[in-house]
Amino acid sequence: MKIPFAPPRVDDKTIAEVVDTLNSGWITTGPKTAKLEEEITAYTQASATVCLNSATAGLELMLRWFGVQEGDEVIVPAYTYCATANVVEHVGATPVMVDVNNADANINLAAIEAAISDRTKVIVPVDIAGMPCDYCEILALALEKGKALFQPRNDRQKQLGRPMVMADAAHSFGALYGKKRLGSQVDAMVFSFHAVKNLTTAEGGAVCLNFEAFNNHELYAELRTLSLHGQSKDAFKKMQPGAWRYDVAYPGYKCNMTDLQAAIGLVELARYDETLNRRKEICNRYIQGLADEELCLLPEFADNVKESSYHLFRLRIKDAKEADRDKIITILAEQGIATNVHFLPLPMLSYYKNKGYDIKDYPNAYNCFANEISLPVYFDLTDEMVDYVVDHVKKAVQAVMR
Ligand SMILES: *Cc1c(COP(=O)(O)O)cnc(C)c1O
């Protein structure tokens, strides 16, 4: 068998919608992007949604909108994809890395509290593998210690009066928090629609807006403009007869979503419940299949508050060192099974290491990485394929660890 890690769900429906867009005469930002934004707002119960060409762009745009700059601090987990911290570097601020929980690999509450200072402008929790962070508690930290120490530098920061809480929800579209889908829990929640994510537009992302201190519809329009050079009219509006004239009030960025991307997203969203259900079945089948191998430490996908979006199956191997884990991955690869490792903690990447971040300060981030193997999870993965993976994982673990 040949089992890839995370191919996208592409079928006749996806192809038809893309072709329809190609034939429509409008392929960049236009009616389909607007429709996707409306449908994501409805699905997530956010106040407004802006779609962009990536989650990275969304994270960075929000930092720039909030005026985060040199001398400011942004709290991020040490265990995440590099995008979370890279955007902080882009605006010249300092990523303050904190450790994560060993159990779910999400950012640790006590570590956030300890890291909040009079320079903290933003807190960026990351929903690792699709399991939501403790948003109520994180918001409470922003409203208490964050607010008490907050030193605003501009009118927006004054108006918010505390650090912004911006979720890197790249993994967790469709996850549940309480009885609600993720998207409305904190100020800004940034989703990724990259090709390997649960819901894809090939490349793409969305920022769901929920500020109490601002009008989110006005903010939506501001971010739309900021994502298109600060131009007062986008190409679609300018195309209306006689409406060519526009202005540029400030030099904005260029990170809009195209209608070609949105077309894929609309198909994906319309059948997303089906996608999520299948992902859940796959994860449960792994859990049942691996339950009798005590060396396999199994992830949790729900507690009494939250339920994951089943983005990654983060298997951990009891007592495995990095080298053992790597051997298991090689054995699986020889059997045609593609796996992955999430994540190389940021302090282990050359750029951050050279800046002085030290993995020894983040023991849980290291442990979450060192014995981790992510197993394939995607809509088209059959039960037979899952059973094949289970069988070979057990054999490989036995071969390496016994
Ligand atoms: C994929 C990912 C991103 C980046 O998403 P893009 O849409 O590719 O910019 C950010 N954070 C995490 C945790 C991710 O996994």
Side-chain angles (χ1 to χ4, degrees), residues 68-212:
V68 178
Q69 60 184 77
E70 201 180 328
D72 292 336
E73 295 178 349
V74 176
I75 297 175
V76 301
Y79 180 91
T80 179
Y81 182 58
C82 61
T84 319
N86 284 358
V87 294
V88 180
E89 292 287 324
H90 295 172
V91 303
T94 304
V96 173
M97 292 179 196
V98 303
D99 208 2
V100 296
N101 306 319
N102 186 49
D104 62 6
N106 277 347
I107 193 164
N108 180 269
L109 289 172
I112 297 177
E113 182 160 29
I116 291 174
S117 80
D118 57 1
R119 291 170 175 231
T120 307
K121 292 294 183 292
V122 188
I123 302 170
V124 190
V126 183
D127 300 325
I128 298 294
M131 188 68 167
C133 291
D134 297 318
Y135 285 111
C136 281
E137 291 81 354
I138 293 170
L139 206 53
L141 288 174
L143 284 159
E144 288 154 24
K145 187 172 178 188
K147 186 173 180 159
L149 296 180
F150 194 60
Q151 301 287 334
R153 347 176 144 252
N154 59 39
D155 289 344
R156 274 176 198 151
Q157 294 180 3
K158 248 177 238 159
Q159 196 168 331
L160 189 61
R162 59 165 172 81
M164 168 167 80
V165 180
M166 172 170 75
D168 177 340
H171 296 179
S172 51
F173 192 77
L176 285 166
Y177 191 89
K179 290 201 165 34
K180 279 173 115 177
R181 296 281 178 203
L182 221 60
S184 64
Q185 286 72 20
V186 293
D187 303 325
M189 307 197 78
V190 183
F191 296 104
S192 172
F193 306 142
H194 176 267
V196 302
K197 301 298 175 7
N198 279 20
L199 186 155
T200 188
T201 60
E203 294 281 358
V207 185
C208 288
L209 301 165
N210 307 288
F211 286 92
E212 277 179 21

Side-chain angles (χ1 to χ4, degrees), residues 233 237-245:
K233 277 181 199 164
K237 286 186 190 136
K238 272 174 61 191
M239 194 195 58
Q240 310 309 316
W244 67 270
R245 192 178 288 277

Side-chain angles (χ1 to χ4, degrees), residues 322 344-353 357 359 366 369:
E322 276 186 67
L344 257 163
L346 302 178
M348 293 175 75
L349 305 174
S350 297
Y351 176 79
Y352 291 104
K353 196 165 143 185
Y357 298 91
I359 190 61
Y366 180 75
F369 148 78

Side-chain angles (χ1 to χ4, degrees), residues 61 177 200 253 316 322 371:
L61 214 58
Y177 191 89
T200 188
Y253 303 91
R316 292 175 67 186
E322 276 186 67
N371 63 1

